[in-house]
Structures are given as structure tokens and as C-alpha cells.
Amino acid sequence: MSTPSITSLKKLQKKMSTPVPVSDDHDEKDVRANTVMFLSNLVDATPQNSKLAYLICNALEKGMLELPELNQVFPEAKTKHRQVKKKASEREEGLKDQIAELESEIAGMKRDKKELGKSKASKKEIAIVAEEIESFEEDLEACRASLEDLKGPDAYKPFYTVEREKNGEGVVSDKDWSILKKWLAKEVKKSKASDADGLYGNLKLLCDHLGFGQTEKDFLRLLVSVSESSELGGFIDTLGNKKQKNTLEVMARMLGISRPQLSAMILPDAQLSEKGMLLQHDDDYSYDADDSAMPFLPDYIQRVLREPDLTIDVISRRLVGEPVTTELDWDRDFSHLGERGQQMIAMLESAKTAKVKGINMLLYGLPDTGKTEAVKAAAKKVGLDLYMVGEKAGDGIGEPDREDRMQSALLAQALLADKKNAAVLFDEMDDLLPGASARSRDQEKPTGNSKVFLNRLLERNKTITFWTANDPEKFHPAVLRRMRYSMEFDIPPVSVRERMWGSISARHNFNISAEDCRKFGQNYIAPPGMIDTAVRNAVLAGGVTSIPISLAASATLLFGNQDSIIVRDTVPSNYDPRLLVAKLEDSDLNLEELGGHIKSSGNGEFSMLLYG
């Protein structure tokens, strides 16, 4: 079965080079116990005469897994060499001790001989001492010669080498395979992994809540162990030689399942991916043979699972966040949306009650025209708890990338599926699927994982989902067809902007005159969010005079030009259109009447030729 590559080696190496410490000693013991269990499963499922068995022995002989107890007994050749080396070392230490004793004895006897000479002892007594000294010196020379001749064993030469394997000698000895299996069996019983609490207990809580089966739970347990132990990750990657087929084979044996079963589990439309627990391969990057084929749990999920004293409610809040709201009021601040807005509210009311799948609302238009605040206000009006997804990067730092946002949206849908009155907001959809959404000659259809992702989010979502975008023209029609309802946002008309200045100022208890509301509404095409910011700044700054300065700063920040929101070519307040000398061909209307008709129709697609 063909499966997608899951992640790049660079990301895996980054994870392994800066491992986050496990939460406590209890978790560390569980990581080791799980490592032993998975290794035991792998060995039990691997024939002794296979190439993989030889590679396992090669990696263990190198000490790739930090299992010092195993290193003491495996392999047999290393154990024997260690024993010979130990005996040689003991013999060497014995000779050194003997030499030290002889040197001490000789020094003492020489002192005795000197004292005898002073005491006028007989020549015979002095001769006896001299003979003893000579005898001891002969023994000393013999010991020194023995020490000089003593040779320890040569440096240990690994038994399970790549060279031996290439030369056709890559066979695992019966003794070694037996030693390995017996040690693992004993160790598994002695250090049984627990999922009652801690890191693995939190993982179990999350898996149970998401409805995963035992095999899926075991797989996630393996991924957690890999993230917690860079040695285990390197061990698997080495055995798989960074090739997808081999890596999946190793991991499948560790889980006690077949490779096709594991391949099916990591497909983009399988449960683990569909519920946001696996990062999917990005179709914008081709698979490279140097890349690791090992899947892994997203960083920020595992970071949450390391925290102590978690419940499933706390886990969900930590992963999805708290509901967001707004001070804006739908009926007051977005009434200018008219029938379009009323239709969306009616649909939301019905969808909230019926719990219909695939309810997607697209709000699109120029930046900062109030799309996000409108979603918040609409959710507040119909009593929905609104959660924003895809706002944080996987490492918790910086801007989220496309992969982070995709995974976050999937996980949020899974965690909120059974939550009453929940809705999700995915802001700035434009940067989500560039490979699947660009309307170019080369890319007219979503492909690969991007297409699967669209199907999952836009057809199967159980939670009402709002999407905002600046330019829907970037998206393929297949994406747009899956939107249940859409609404365009543009700069509100002058009358609405005047009303907004008044209502937003009132909400912040800011005193502003009707004349200033009219002036700001006419002179600035500022969207609701920018008006709100300007009023709040004016409350702090203490006056209306600060509003133009605040608007200029916001316009520069958002649009790159402080003049971008200033209305140009406005009609002077003292202009009287009745004084205009003009005639409409084939019509009894004058220009003022025509303007009124155009305004009441709500249709801005009108052109006029003026000549004369």
C-alpha cells in the first residue's frame, strides 16, 4: 500500500536535537519501560536470520538505545572481551601491589642494615640481611619484568559490523539472539509501562475522548516515546535507513501489526489524521530519499500532555483555547448588511439546533472591513461559543505555518464535535492552501492531501465553521462550492460609518458630537475595527483631536499608507446639484433622481458616460 511521506528529517532532527524534558521521574521511567516494550515486540516479530535482526544487533552493540544493563550482557563477544580485559586489569593491579610491597620491604631492610652497622653487629648478621635484600630485589625485578611483559587484550572490535554483513557474514549468533530475547522478556515484566497518570495517562484521556481504538492508542504511545527519547527515534530511523517502507515496517513490528495496517492508519483520510493527531505531508514538497519517513505527534499537543493534573476538559481548553467574543453588537453595528446578514443569522439559528454537518460560512472582502468582528457578533447573537483556530505555531512561538493551521483546525473540530453551541472561526483562509487554491494554468484542481483536507473540513465538519478571506478569486471553484453561505464585506457607506462612530463612541463612554461623527464618517473610509481602535485611543489620549492621528497610524500599519482611508474628491457640503446643467438621454430623470435610484438599488456596478 502506498502512503504519503509524513515529515522531513529537518523537522525530526530539530525535535531530537532539542528534546523537551519529560515532566518528572515517573514519566522518565514510563518512557524507558515503553522503549523496552517496543524493542521486545520488534525482536519477537523479527526472524533471527533476517537482515533486520542483524541491523538491530548492530545498533544495540553501538549503544544507540541507552540501556546500560543490556550493554553489560549483549553481545556475547563484547561480554567475553570485557571479562578478559577485567582479568588482565586485575593481574596488572596485583603485580603493581606486589611491586609496591617489595619496594617497601627492601627499603625497610636497608634501613635495618644501616642500623646494624651503627650498632657494631657481627658481620654474619649484616651478611644475612644483605642476602635477604638481594633476594627481595630479585623478586622485585621479576615482578617488574612480568608487568612489562603483561599485555591486556586489544581494543574491542565490534562483532556486528556493516563490513561483515556486506561480506555475507551478517548472521546473528544463536547465543546473542537468546540473550537479547531473555533480557527483554525479563525487563518487560520488571518495568511495565503505566498509563494511569502523567504523560501517558494524559495521552490515554485524549485518545479515549477522540474515540481511538487500541491499535491507534499504541501507535500514539510509540510516537510520544519517540518524541521523549531521541535515542529511540534515531534507532528507528537507522533501522529504516530513512526509507518510508522500511521505517513503517520497523514501527509496525514494534506495534505487533502488519505494515499495511500501519500504512492505512496514517493515510490522510484515516482517523488519526482526520482528527488532527498527525501532521500530514505537504504536497508542495516532493519526497526526498534523505528525509525521514517517521510520523510524529504535533509538538504543541505533546507539550500540553506533559502538564500535570489534567482532565479531558482542561486538555481540550489548552488545545483549543477559550471562546472569544466582541463588544460589537450585531443588530446595532452590522445592520447595514441588511438581508444578507439576516439570512446568515437565520441559517445559524437553524444549524445550531439541527447539528447539520458541513456548515461553512465564508465572509470575504478587503482587509479590516469587519469580517472577524462580524463573525464574533453573529456568534454572540445566536448564542454560539466561538473558538479561533490556527492562531499559534506548533512550537508555541512565532507565526503558525500552513501545516500548523491545518492540523489545528482538524483537532479543534474533533474536540468540539460533541460540544453544544460551539462554532469555529478560521481567520485569513487565503494563506491556508496555496497549492490547492491558486487559479493558475498549472494548478486548476486540488491535489493529494490538500484535496483530502478540503473534503474533511468542508464536508464532514460537525461544528459550524466560519472562514474569512480577503480574495475568494484565489480559490478554486471546488472550494467555493463547498461553502454553505458566503457574504462579501466592503467599506460601509457614509451613513453607516457615521452611525458606527456614534455607537462605538457610546459603548466606550466617549463624548463625541454628531458633527464629528458626520465629519469622520465622510472623510474616512475606516472599517469598524479601525474606528473602535481610534475611539479607545481617544479615551486614553483625552480628546477627539487624537482620532485623525490614530487613524493615520492604523492605516499605515494595515495598508502601508496613511492616506489610504482618506476619502478623495468628495462633493463640497455647499454643492447644489440643481444648479448642474445636464440632461439624461432617453430619460425624464435628473441626475439627483438617478443617484437616488442607484443608491436604493444597492448595485454598485453602474457606469456613466459624461460628454460635452
Side-chain angles (χ1 to χ4, degrees), residues 110-364:
K110 286 183 177 180
R111 284 194 300 271
D112 292 343
K113 180 182 178 185
K114 187 175 182 180
E115 290 298 325
L116 286 173
K118 291 180 180 180
S119 63
K120 299 180 180 181
S122 66
K123 293 183 178 180
K124 184 177 180 180
E125 290 177 320
I126 296 174
I128 292 173
V129 174
E131 288 178 4
E132 289 180 349
I133 292 174
E134 185 177 353
S135 176
F136 272 73
E137 285 179 339
E138 288 176 357
D139 291 343
L140 177 61
E141 289 302 318
C143 287
R144 286 174 174 171
S146 296
L147 182 62
E148 186 71 23
D149 294 338
L150 181 64
K151 288 185 179 179
D154 295 333
Y156 176 70
K157 295 180 180 179
F159 185 76
Y160 294 101
T161 62
V162 176
E163 290 74 17
R164 287 188 71 242
E165 195 271 331
K166 287 182 178 179
N167 293 333
E169 301 172 355
V171 179
V172 178
S173 76
D174 294 341
K175 182 69 172 177
D176 282 344
W177 201 242
S178 176
I179 290 172
L180 179 58
K181 296 186 77 169
K182 287 180 180 178
W183 185 89
L184 288 169
K186 181 180 178 181
E187 197 67 17
V188 166
K189 290 181 180 179
K190 186 173 73 173
S191 57
K192 189 173 182 180
S194 170
D195 58 8
D197 55 11
L199 172 62
Y200 291 97
N202 294 335
L203 176 65
K204 185 178 184 299
L205 279 177
L206 181 57
C207 289
D208 288 342
H209 181 70
L210 296 177
F212 293 137
Q214 188 57 50
T215 305
E216 292 163 321
K217 292 177 184 178
D218 291 342
F219 180 50
L220 291 177
R221 177 186 284 266
L222 174 56
L223 298 188
V224 165
S225 301
V226 166
S227 292
E228 295 296 316
S229 170
S230 59
E231 291 82 15
L232 179 58
F235 178 75
I236 295 172
D237 215 23
T238 298
L239 297 183
N241 195 26
K242 300 183 180 66
K243 294 182 179 178
Q244 187 181 50
K245 179 180 177 181
N246 297 341
T247 301
L248 294 182
E249 180 65 41
V250 171
M251 299 183 82
R253 295 188 187 193
M254 286 183 163
L255 297 170
I257 61 177
S258 67
R259 191 181 72 232
Q261 283 179 286
L262 179 56
S263 297
M265 283 172 54
I266 64 175
L267 288 172
D269 58 353
Q271 269 210 105
L272 290 173
S273 298
E274 191 174 83
K275 294 184 178 181
M277 296 297 284
L278 287 182
L279 290 173
Q280 291 301 328
H281 168 59
D282 193 330
D283 283 333
D284 284 355
Y285 301 94
S286 61
Y287 177 75
D288 190 322
D290 289 335
D291 285 349
S292 170
M294 193 187 306
F296 61 87
L297 195 69
D299 289 344
Y300 84 99
I301 295 179
Q302 189 147 326
R303 191 164 54 249
V304 170
L305 294 180
R306 291 189 185 101
E307 298 174 10
D309 306 320
L310 295 180
T311 64
I312 188 58
D313 290 335
V314 175
I315 292 174
S316 296
R317 287 200 302 273
R318 292 284 288 109
L319 292 175
V320 180
E322 298 289 347
V324 296
T325 187
T326 180
E327 294 182 357
L328 299 182
D329 179 79
W330 177 266
D331 294 325
R332 183 179 60 225
D333 296 313
F334 296 96
S335 59
H336 62 281
L337 297 176
E339 293 182 352
R340 297 175 300 155
Q342 295 174 13
Q343 173 73 5
M344 187 176 77
I345 295 297
M347 290 184 66
L348 290 175
E349 292 279 12
S350 298
K352 171 188 169 184
T353 304
K355 273 287 182 182
V356 181
K357 286 184 180 181
I359 298 297
N360 295 281
M361 305 281 187
L362 174 62
L363 283 69
Y364 63 94

Side-chain angles (χ1 to χ4, degrees), residues 473-518:
E473 289 295 318
K474 292 180 180 179
F475 290 87
H476 190 275
V479 176
L480 302 179
R481 281 196 299 268
R482 288 181 170 85
M483 296 295 172
R484 187 64 67 93
Y485 189 70
S486 62
M487 183 162 52
E488 182 178 11
F489 276 61
D490 51 19
I491 300 298
V494 174
S495 60
V496 173
R497 299 203 299 270
E498 291 180 16
R499 189 169 67 249
M500 280 185 175
W501 279 103
S503 62
I504 292 174
S505 295
R507 185 164 57 252
H508 292 293
N509 296 318
F510 179 68
N511 187 21
I512 188 171
S513 67
E515 176 60 24
D516 282 331
C517 290
R518 183 194 63 78

